[in-house]
Amino acid sequence: MFHRESGVFKTTYAADMALYPLPIAKWTVAALAVIFVVIVPLTVHEYYLSILNLIFIAIVGALGLNILVGYTGQISLGHGAFMSVGAYTAANLAVKLDLPFWLTLPAGGLMAAAIGVVVGMPSLRIKGLYLAIATLAGQLIIEWTINRVPAISGGAQASIQVDRPSLFGFSFNTQGTLYFFLLFFAVLAIIGTLNLVRSRIGRAFVAVRDQDIAAEIIGIDIYRYKLMAFAISSFYAGVCGVLYTYYFGIANYEQFQLIVSIDYLAMIIIGGLGSVLGSILGAVFVTLLPIVIRILMENVGSLFFTTAEMANVISGLRLGVFGGLIIFFLIVEPEGLNRLWRNIRSYFRVWPFSY
Amino acid sequence: MTRFVKRWLGMAAATATLALGGGQAFAQKELVFGLHCDRTGPTATVGTVMCPGYHDYIALVNSKGGVEGHKIKVLEIDNEYKVPPAIEAHERFKKEGAVLEGLYGTPQVSALNKKMEEDKILGTSPGFGVAAAADGKRFPYIFPIAASYWSQGAAAVAFVKERLGGNLKGKKIAYLFYDNPAGKEPLAILEDLAKSEGFELRTFAVPAPGLEMGAQVLDITGRFKPDFVIAHLFGRSPSVSIKELKGKGYPLSKVVSLVWGGAEADIVAAGGMGAAEGYNTIQFAGVGKDFPVIKEIEAMYKAQGKAVPKELDSTVYYNRGVLIAALHVEAVRNAIKAKGGAAPTSEEVKKGMESIKGFTLGGLVPPMEITPEDHEGGGWVQIWTVKGGKLVKTKDWFQGYRDVIKKHLEAEAKKS
């Protein structure tokens, strides 16, 4: 199942830039497509589809944050707030103007991108921890504004109910149909990011991250690219917020508070900064780990504890194991799950020989 | 990539078999209840006491042979006060065939509202969630089953009026609240009552996480000098408010707190029961251990040869857990009776919940009446006051300004 690259000679730049350098990669993608479009939705219980749905939404958000933090090297603690901007934009448009999701979704993304550029302005002058604090201020200001402006929040409860997304009269109102809805946007986000990072823009982002003064000297307009990174990242966040809104059927800013920004940072750090696969692995890991720990504990733990004790044990253990695993992964492989996966792959590539 | 997928699918398959294996272990006649809980998030002080209360009451019912012969199995999922885990929890409960769910957390209730309706499973949100959910026509599957923030606010004003001699004209009331949607919700009622009762209302918002309110309290005690303070705070902030108000010399007997600021732990954290003399709290469940059901739970532990857990001493939240469990059990009991003893579906349990009436559990539960129109059950509360080192009941079950609440519910219903 592993790619054997011998006999691959690239003779053109186009071949070198190709998304799939080997024919087998195309087949892998085709197989993945069959699994996720046909096999999984037909065979898996609705409950597992609902978990996958949460993962798909998380992937979109994690990819966006990784473009900013991983590829461009700008720290942001405002990702959750950008999601809420997208969510409220879409919800207001859907309720007040009765627009369909294929208009509200890009609108939510664009609005978040515009706000993201404003919040990203300080990145032109400051870096690192200082920028983190500046974006933290952005997060708090956006939260406060939504909470305090009824025109945005729709009243004291600061929540706006939206109908399920529908297309040509077909309503996505079950986990099974929402699965396809969310899968489509997750795939779109993955393909978009893969193409973005191998384009001129993506390479400029990496240059800014690695050494911004050198980047400027070789002719990259770093102000433009920093703001662009904020805009693109916030666009993803906004779309992620819109997806949450349609998935929950409600926009509520309490779903996008500071803790969410930190959760997403955890995802990309665990998954691997500056990598598309890393964003996906991180989103899967952070969403799935608590659930797996709980299910394992429910089955194994009953041997050791009574039901009443177990509730406390599961909660405590889940946090403990989660924290422990994060530290373990970061010590074993500071570059994240993505690097861990590549190491495993390159070890088995020449297996059973050592090189 | 493929190896990743293989591993992932292997993991999914493993969890699937584990979950299925767990499912088969249940006896056929068990009814499944889903309980959302926060044992590790920002409101862990509530969850770690309220959820054991829930489990203990169900254990008591099971030890007596279950509800009409049906044993109950409670599945609990800790959502850490986050929304995505609550969605996952609901789907899990649905998969296990839960007939009802005890929801927890205002944002979580908002996010699940639509899903509960689509899946036709009832969820309870006692003392939190959206006040408009009392309207059973608009929110058919959400049951507040206790006083909403609107009812609590109205009851607070009614209590203040009584304390200030039956007339509020020209009086000054300060509203000290946590600056989030739940904190702002009673404002609509308070502003309305300020007009009709003729008192001056001024609001003092405390930003999250609510641990710093020196400026607000100084504003209250130094400049506004109100005749009464209505406090509506969550988490650690109620104890901060008690400390600050007392420190600035404001008499605590002129403070009344809504339901999430009146637990023993909040008062003890503010310097002990003795230091908070006179502090008034609104409660939607009975406080203290002087109830037959609490005695039965203690007896159950003693009969098993175990020590009575310390959670029972935190009677405010513990008793609320018992109240939620008891109402869940009563709903199921009504449904089973209506069906002649067979296990009910979730829709039948909903009808059972809508026919709860005259169930008081020895005074722990208010004399509520839940109907298809009124899922709040009347919005009953009690006032308990700190006196001589413990919480003492100063006002029995009462409702505040029902006509005003009804008017607001009707206005909300017209909006959609």
Side-chain angles (χ1 to χ4, degrees):
Chain A
M1 295 292 277
F2 292 93
H3 305 170
R4 303 276 168 185
E5 297 92 339
S6 72
V8 177
F9 304 105
K10 291 164 184 163
T11 50
T12 60
Y13 285 117
D16 196 37
M17 285 280 285
L19 202 51
Y20 309 122
L22 301 171
I24 191 172
K26 281 183 196 166
W27 290 108
T28 326
V29 172
L32 276 176
V34 171
I35 289 171
F36 278 100
V37 176
V38 183
I39 297 175
V40 168
L42 283 180
T43 54
V44 169
H45 189 277
E46 209 182 16
Y47 166 61
Y48 300 104
L49 288 185
S50 78
I51 299 176
L52 281 172
N53 287 345
L54 288 173
I55 291 175
F56 290 151
I57 303 176
I59 285 175
V60 177
L63 282 169
L65 191 60
N66 219 337
I67 290 171
L68 184 66
V69 180
Y71 283 99
T72 323
Q74 309 298 307
I75 299 176
S76 168
L77 287 175
H79 212 57
F82 300 143
M83 289 181 198
S84 62
V85 171
Y88 277 95
T89 308
N92 275 314
L93 290 176
V95 172
K96 288 184 184 153
L97 300 178
D98 209 14
L99 294 179
F101 79 87
W102 45 269
L103 286 176
T104 60
L105 191 118
L110 289 174
M111 188 59 150
I115 303 283
V117 168
V118 176
V119 174
M121 292 278 186
S123 70
L124 306 181
R125 284 295 185 86
I126 54 179
K127 285 189 227 180
L129 278 177
Y130 299 93
L131 180 60
I133 297 304
T135 51
L136 175 66
Q139 165 92 30
L140 297 177
I141 291 168
I142 292 171
E143 269 182 30
W144 188 90
T145 311
I146 291 173
N147 189 13
R148 282 311 182 100
V149 181
I152 303 172
S153 68
Q157 273 289 336
S159 52
I160 305 172
Q161 301 252 7
V162 293
D163 288 331
R164 294 286 181 206
S166 63
L167 193 62
F168 307 122
F170 177 78
S171 175
F172 297 89
N173 55 6
T174 62
Q175 294 291 352
T177 47
L178 278 167
Y179 172 86
F180 289 105
F181 179 77
L182 297 170
L183 177 68
F184 174 77
F185 290 105
V187 169
L188 208 62
I190 293 169
I191 295 174
T193 319
L194 280 173
N195 281 304
L196 176 79
V197 297
R198 66 194 185 117
S199 69
R200 183 190 166 79
I201 298 172
R203 277 152 211 254
F205 285 172
V206 173
V208 171
R209 174 191 70 193
D210 287 348
Q211 178 53 266
D212 55 353
I213 295 171
E216 201 170 11
I217 288 167
I218 60 170
I220 291 169
D221 183 350
I222 59 168
Y223 293 160
R224 188 166 153 242
Y225 282 105
K226 275 181 177 174
L227 288 185
M228 199 189 280
F230 265 99
I232 294 173
S233 161
S234 310
F235 182 84
Y236 274 74
V239 169
C240 174
V242 180
L243 293 179
Y244 269 128
T245 302
Y246 279 116
Y247 185 56
F248 297 150
I250 198 163
N252 182 327
Y253 86 93
E254 288 185 289
Q255 295 156 357
F256 306 108
Q257 286 181 319
L258 181 60
I259 187 82
V260 174
S261 302
I262 293 170
D263 276 349
Y264 275 85
L265 267 181
M267 279 181 204
I268 60 167
I269 291 171
I270 294 168
L273 290 170
S275 123
V276 173
L277 181 60
S279 315
I280 300 169
L281 292 180
V284 172
F285 185 85
V286 170
T287 314
L288 217 51
L289 188 69
I291 300 171
V292 171
I293 291 174
R294 197 186 59 236
I295 290 178
L296 282 176
M297 274 305 294
E298 277 170 359
N299 289 280
V300 183
S302 53
L303 303 175
F304 307 103
F305 303 103
T306 65
T307 333
E309 287 169 344
M310 211 143 76
N312 264 328
V313 172
I314 290 177
S315 297
L317 199 81
R318 199 195 52 217
L319 283 184
V321 171
F322 189 63
L325 273 179
I326 289 174
I327 294 172
F328 172 79
F329 274 123
L330 292 183
I331 289 175
V332 171
E333 189 44 83
E335 286 176 52
L337 292 173
N338 174 54
R339 185 55 180 268
L340 207 61
W341 158 242
R342 284 204 338 238
N343 287 349
I344 296 170
R345 204 172 59 170
S346 51
Y347 173 79
F348 279 106
R349 181 174 286 157
V350 288
W351 189 83
F353 309 108
S354 53
Y355 56 86
Chain B
M1 281 299 272
T2 42
R3 203 182 132 83
F4 156 63
V5 169
K6 249 171 79 180
R7 267 210 308 192
W8 197 93
L9 280 180
M11 211 156 73
T15 47
T17 40
L18 274 172
L20 285 175
Q24 279 156 1
F26 307 157
Q28 282 302 308
K29 249 195 150 186
E30 274 185 333
L31 291 167
V32 179
F33 287 10
L35 179 65
H36 298 249
C37 222
D38 175 13
R39 286 176 187 260
T40 46
T43 58
T45 47
V46 179
T48 46
V49 179
M50 202 158 84
C51 297
Y54 188 94
H55 285 290
D56 284 348
Y57 184 82
I58 300 290
L60 181 69
V61 169
N62 280 341
S63 75
K64 290 197 219 158
V67 213
E68 312 287 315
H70 296 264
K71 290 263 164 109
I72 301 165
K73 181 179 177 65
V74 180
L75 293 174
E76 183 198 303
I77 292 181
D78 178 2
N79 63 25
E80 290 179 66
Y81 214 81
K82 288 180 185 168
V83 173
I87 302 288
E88 187 264 326
H90 165 72
E91 292 294 333
R92 173 78 196 283
F93 295 150
K94 191 173 82 182
K95 174 169 166 284
E96 305 284 357
V99 290
L100 55 77
E101 285 176 38
L103 305 176
Y104 186 75
T106 301
Q108 288 79 358
V109 178
S110 302
L112 276 169
N113 173 25
K114 188 159 242 145
K115 209 85 202 75
M116 308 297 285
E117 197 175 329
E118 284 169 358
D119 297 333
K120 300 205 183 315
I121 299 177
L122 82 87
T124 57
S125 60
F128 53 87
V130 193
D135 185 348
K137 289 274 174 280
R138 274 187 70 213
F139 294 82
Y141 285 87
I142 299 290
F143 286 75
I145 64 167
S148 68
Y149 290 135
W150 282 358
S151 300
Q152 292 170 31
V157 174
F159 171 70
V160 171
K161 187 177 178 181
E162 191 186 291
R163 273 293 168 96
L164 296 179
N167 189 2
L168 287 173
K169 197 141 264 163
K171 302 280 191 214
K172 291 197 279 188
I173 296 180
Y175 178 57
L176 179 68
F177 68 105
Y178 199 94
D179 196 3
N180 68 2
K184 281 189 297 177
E185 189 154 44
L187 265 176
I189 300 291
L190 294 178
E191 280 164 1
D192 202 346
L193 287 175
K195 259 182 235 140
S196 59
E197 292 285 345
F199 61 87
E200 189 190 341
L201 176 77
R202 199 176 292 174
T203 60
F204 300 86
V206 178
L211 300 181
E212 173 50 52
M213 57 186 90
Q216 289 87 339
V217 171
L218 200 60
D219 216 11
I220 291 174
T221 56
R223 292 165 67 187
F224 186 49
K225 297 195 177 74
D227 297 296
F228 229 96
V229 175
I230 298 174
H232 183 25
L233 300 159
F234 307 91
R236 297 274 175 207
S237 51
S239 50
V240 178
S241 75
I242 298 172
K243 248 191 230 166
E244 287 281 352
L245 283 164
K246 196 177 162 63
K248 303 269 187 320
Y250 193 81
L252 289 177
S253 58
K254 288 187 172 184
V255 180
V256 60
S257 163
L258 300 198
V259 300
W260 301 109
E264 290 95 339
D266 299 322
I267 298 164
V268 169
M273 282 282 178
E277 184 75 18
Y279 183 65
N280 303 296
T281 66
I282 291 182
Q283 305 286 355
F284 66 76
V287 179
K289 289 185 174 180
D290 201 12
F291 298 101
V293 59
I294 303 293
K295 299 255 181 322
E296 280 182 60
I297 290 172
E298 284 176 341
M300 176 184 77
Y301 273 104
K302 279 180 192 139
Q304 289 169 351
K306 288 186 205 156
V308 176
K310 61 177 190 321
E311 281 88 4
L312 264 84
D313 297 334
S314 309
T315 61
V316 170
Y317 289 150
Y318 186 87
N319 291 5
R320 284 180 197 175
V322 172
L323 172 135
I324 300 165
L327 288 170
H328 285 180
V329 169
E330 279 314 295
V332 170
R333 192 190 305 279
N334 288 345
I336 295 173
K337 276 186 184 159
K339 220 186 170 186
T345 64
S346 55
E347 278 171 88
E348 286 156 352
V349 172
K350 174 183 179 277
K351 291 208 180 71
M353 187 66 98
E354 283 169 347
S355 52
I356 284 183
K357 190 184 171 182
F359 172 73
T360 59
L361 205 64
L364 193 137
V365 177
M368 60 167 70
E369 183 182 349
I370 301 173
T371 64
E373 289 78 33
D374 181 11
H375 283 183
E376 191 187 356
W380 297 86
V381 293
Q382 283 179 333
I383 305 276
W384 287 69
T385 305
V386 182
K387 265 185 203 153
K390 59 176 202 270
L391 282 165
V392 178
K393 182 158 70 180
T394 43
K395 194 166 164 56
D396 208 352
W397 298 116
F398 72 104
Q399 299 165 297
Y401 301 98
R402 285 315 282 173
D403 48 330
V404 178
I405 307 284
K406 281 213 185 83
K407 191 183 84 192
H408 278 260
L409 282 173
E410 275 159 21
E412 273 294 313
K414 276 203 197 96
K415 258 196 226 165
S416 60

